[in-house]
Amino acid sequence: MSRKARAVLCRELNRFVVETITVDPPKRGEVTVKMGACGVCHSDLSAANGTIALPLPLVLGHEAAGVVAEVGEGVTGFAKGDHVVFSFIYMCGKCRFCVAGRPVLCLEQGKALTTPLEGTPRVHDAAGKPLNIFSGCGTMAEYATVSAENLIRIDPKIPMECGALVGCAVTTGVGAVFNTAKIEPGSSVAVFGCGGVGLSAIQGARIAGARQIVAIDTLEAKLKMATGMGATDVLAVQQGEDIVKPLKKMTGGGPDYAFECVGSGELAGAAYRAIRRGGTAVVVGVAKPSDNTSVRSMTLVFEEKTLTGSYFGSCVPSIDFPRMLSLYQGGSLKLDELITRRYSIDEAPQAFADLQSGKNARGVIIFP
Ligand SMILES: NC(=O)c1ccc[n+]([C@@H]2O[C@H](COP(=O)([O-])OP(=O)(O)OC[C@H]3O[C@@H](n4cnc5c(N)ncnc54)[C@H](O)[C@@H]3O)[C@@H](O)[C@H]2O)c1
Ligand SMILES: [Zn+2]
Ligand SMILES: [Zn+2]
């Protein structure tokens, strides 16, 4: 059946509106989910300010968990009442990257980027006009109809708001450490930016046995949160200030690994310059399309440094989501502590203002 839903939309750049939309029932291979919680990620903000260019009008939201309300024809993996976390990358399961266990590189992911796989929108505004959905999800809404491949079933004992965070920030940050960098125990690690993603990278480094974890941010409050997540040292910086020198000093010549979790070409370059010989800099933040990062080419050779990127923590959602949640259930991965404020859907514009001013570790929209 067709459902009415309050939803957060971006119709024009830099503006958030909350409207009542219509969500169509699932077609073949699709599932309708009643939302439980949706995190407010910087990538949603980036879609609304044009850093991530997606067609407008757009229903925002991708970091979410909910309960299956209806399944479409041919869906065998889910039943009404199942608890699920959304995966914001469509994975075909058949292309050479999916088959090789690297589904974040799926060749088909673009096909379910702003609609379900079938290609036509399942959401319409009050005037009946079709709406796009953020990264195959559009979960800042009371209901969402998505491709079944965008969902992972979870233990119903997991609180919705914790499940939601696993759908982006946590898997992105922890996965960058576990899967992309595969850090060695006893390493020295630096994390640039202590939002939901950076704080998760810090936790990943702690769990992986890093000896030193330096948290870097422009906001003192964020550095305090970072210490609570496992940072051993903190570095407060001003916007535009050179961090390479103090970081090298603090780490006795440079960290073994640096994770850029802000979204700046310049900081990606700083992360690369800061790492020691043989070190690895991982770019996790999504920079503006006009940003560039330059490195002195000879350092790649004589210092054997690596500069790489990490998309969605190089994860395999069906393996990594349960892995993150078992670390949470075992007490080593702090998820409740990452949530510093809860909002109703009508408070979403405030949630974005708070994200922009850096008030929260993570803000989460909770659905009744
Ligand atoms: N790679 C991926 O798959 C993936 C997934 C999710 C998010 N992201 C990206 O990761 C980035 C972080 O996301 P988030 O939701 O944690 O964002 P956030 O806004 O919650 O956190 C960013 C943090 O960076 C800090 N910061 C800003 N400028 C800084 C500077 N010059 N030096 C040091 N710190 C600075 C802010 O104070 C804030 O604490 C964004 O670019 C987002 O788009 C990437
Ligand atoms: Zn694929
Ligand atoms: Zn995200």
Side-chain angles (χ1 to χ4, degrees):
M1 67 180 199
S2 188
R3 294 172 170 88
K4 296 276 177 226
R6 295 289 286 161
V8 185
L9 271 68
C10 177
R11 286 187 175 277
E12 51 180 296
L13 288 184
N14 300 312
R15 271 204 67 207
F16 303 94
V17 287
V18 186
E19 294 180 14
T20 299
I21 63 168
T22 305
V23 181
D24 291 350
K27 290 194 177 174
R28 189 174 178 80
E30 296 173 3
V31 174
T32 299
V33 178
K34 181 179 191 308
M35 224 54 64
C38 181
V40 185
C41 176
H42 203 107
S43 298
D44 293 302
L45 183 62
S46 293
N49 67 25
T51 299
I52 297 176
L54 290 173
L56 307 179
L58 182 72
V59 180
L60 296 169
H62 59 284
E63 182 179 274
V67 180
V68 171
E70 191 178 339
V71 295
E73 208 187 306
V75 173
T76 52
F78 299 96
K80 192 174 175 208
D82 280 353
H83 288 215
V84 290
V85 170
F86 288 74
S87 161
F88 65 82
I89 299 176
Y90 170 78
M91 299 161 179
C92 78
K94 297 191 186 80
C95 73
R96 69 185 179 95
F97 291 108
C98 282
V99 169
R102 298 285 286 119
V104 300
L105 303 179
C106 177
L107 292 169
E108 304 291 318
Q109 63 181 259
K111 289 190 177 165
L113 191 59
T114 54
T115 63
L117 181 65
E118 183 267 350
T120 55
R122 296 287 165 276
V123 280
H124 304 272
D125 66 10
K129 294 227 170 72
L131 301 165
N132 301 297
I133 52 174
F134 184 103
S135 219
C137 293
T139 53
M140 247 176 227
E142 289 168 312
Y143 288 95
T145 296
V146 302
S147 302
E149 284 80 1
N150 285 74
L151 297 173
I152 300 292
R153 198 175 33 245
I154 59 160
D155 180 347
K157 287 200 289 293
I158 301 284
M160 282 289 164
E161 57 191 30
C162 296
L165 298 198
V166 167
C168 182
V170 169
T171 300
T172 297
V174 177
V177 174
F178 283 17
N179 301 329
T180 314
K182 299 186 178 73
I183 79 163
E184 303 270 333
S187 326
S188 166
V189 172
V191 176
F192 292 61
C194 302
V197 173
L199 292 170
S200 298
I202 288 169
Q203 295 208 66
R206 166 177 49 77
I207 296 165
R211 160 180 58 84
Q212 183 181 32
I213 305 170
V214 184
I216 302 155
D217 206 289
T218 49
L219 302 171
E220 288 288 350
K222 287 300 181 75
L223 296 175
K224 216 172 187 178
M225 293 174 193
T227 306
M229 295 295 166
T232 58
D233 301 84
V234 297
L235 196 50
V237 289
Q238 307 281 337
Q239 210 63 259
E241 185 191 351
D242 178 43
I243 347 176
V244 175
K245 241 193 214 160
L247 186 54
K248 276 188 178 287
K249 196 166 168 216
M250 207 172 221
T251 52
D256 300 303
Y257 301 93
F259 296 87
E260 196 279 354
C261 303
V262 179
S264 144
E266 199 184 310
L267 286 183
Y272 177 82
R273 287 196 302 282
I275 51 173
R276 64 151 173 81
R277 292 172 165 256
T280 300
V282 182
V283 179
V284 182
V286 180
K288 291 195 292 283
S290 57
D291 268 24
N292 283 293
T293 303
S294 72
V295 299
R296 280 177 66 211
S297 311
M298 70 187 300
T299 61
L300 289 161
V301 180
F302 296 128
E303 299 180 17
E304 289 200 356
K305 288 182 170 196
T306 301
L307 177 64
T308 187
S310 178
Y311 190 24
F312 204 179
S314 310
C315 77
V316 178
S318 57
I319 294 172
D320 287 290
F321 287 10
R323 187 177 177 205
M324 298 302 150
L325 290 169
S326 67
L327 289 171
Y328 164 68
Q329 288 178 311
S332 54
L333 185 62
K334 300 179 186 189
L335 299 186
D336 300 287
E337 294 83 346
L338 266 183
I339 303 163
T340 40
R341 188 163 164 195
R342 295 163 182 81
Y343 302 84
S344 70
I345 186 134
D346 288 304
E347 292 171 327
Q350 183 60 45
F352 278 105
D354 290 348
L355 173 69
Q356 217 154 2
S357 65
K359 261 198 193 135
N360 294 321
R362 205 49 148 196
V364 177
I365 294 172
I366 305 289
F367 297 84

